[in-house]
């Protein structure tokens, strides 16, 4: 499995706006080959911002990279530069490859 994670720092008072943006967008992910799961996570408030993280699980790095070059990716991220006033800086992308996996 290949996990991509974006961390978002959201200014206080803009949490609802941020969540609404994500909940109302068409991600196009379910139709993408190699996509496994997506989660938007709400973290703690600290240092003048609320931390959020989006986690997307992929079958492989190649599946993720193909997604980033796809028309579905461009459609899902159209207008992503809007609402800059709610962010306390740009998102931070992190990627992880499975070393060990334990499931129920």
């Amino acid at each position: 499995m290949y996990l991509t994670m974006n961390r978002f720092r959201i200014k206080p008072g803009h949490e609802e706006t941020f969540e609404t943006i994500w909940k109302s967008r068409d991600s196009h992910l379910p139709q993408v080959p190699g996509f496994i799961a997506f989660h938007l996570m709400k973290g703690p408030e600290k240092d003048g911002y609320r931390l959020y993280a989006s986690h997307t699980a992929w079958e492989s790095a190649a599946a993720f990279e193909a997604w980033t070059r796809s028309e579905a990716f461009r459609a899902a991220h159209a207008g992503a530069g809007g609402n800059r006033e709610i962010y306390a800086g740009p998102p931070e992308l992190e990627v992880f490859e499975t070393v060990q996996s334990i499931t129920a």
Side-chain angles (χ1 to χ4, degrees):
M1 182 173 64
Y2 191 74
L3 177 77
T4 62
M5 180 172 71
N6 266 308
R7 292 176 183 259
F8 301 91
R9 294 174 294 148
I10 303 303
K11 294 177 183 175
H14 295 281
E15 296 91 345
E16 187 175 331
T17 300
F18 179 77
E19 291 175 22
T20 298
I21 290 167
W22 277 84
K23 290 175 184 177
S24 63
R25 65 181 263 216
D26 186 358
S27 73
H28 300 268
L29 287 170
Q31 302 90 317
V32 176
F35 168 74
I36 297 172
F38 171 84
H39 301 278
L40 181 62
M41 311 296 287
K42 185 176 185 176
E45 187 174 326
K46 61 180 187 178
D47 301 327
Y49 63 88
R50 168 75 69 178
L51 182 64
Y52 284 84
S54 67
H55 294 188
T56 310
W58 299 91
E59 290 177 357
S60 65
F64 168 71
E65 290 163 6
W67 152 247
T68 64
R69 294 187 302 271
S70 72
E71 191 58 43
F73 178 88
R74 285 185 283 286
H77 291 84
N83 299 299
R84 283 196 167 105
E85 69 280 357
I86 72 172
Y87 297 92
E92 299 173 32
L93 177 65
E94 299 172 326
V95 296
F96 302 89
E97 293 184 54
T98 299
V99 174
Q100 180 183 19
S101 182
I102 301 172
T103 60

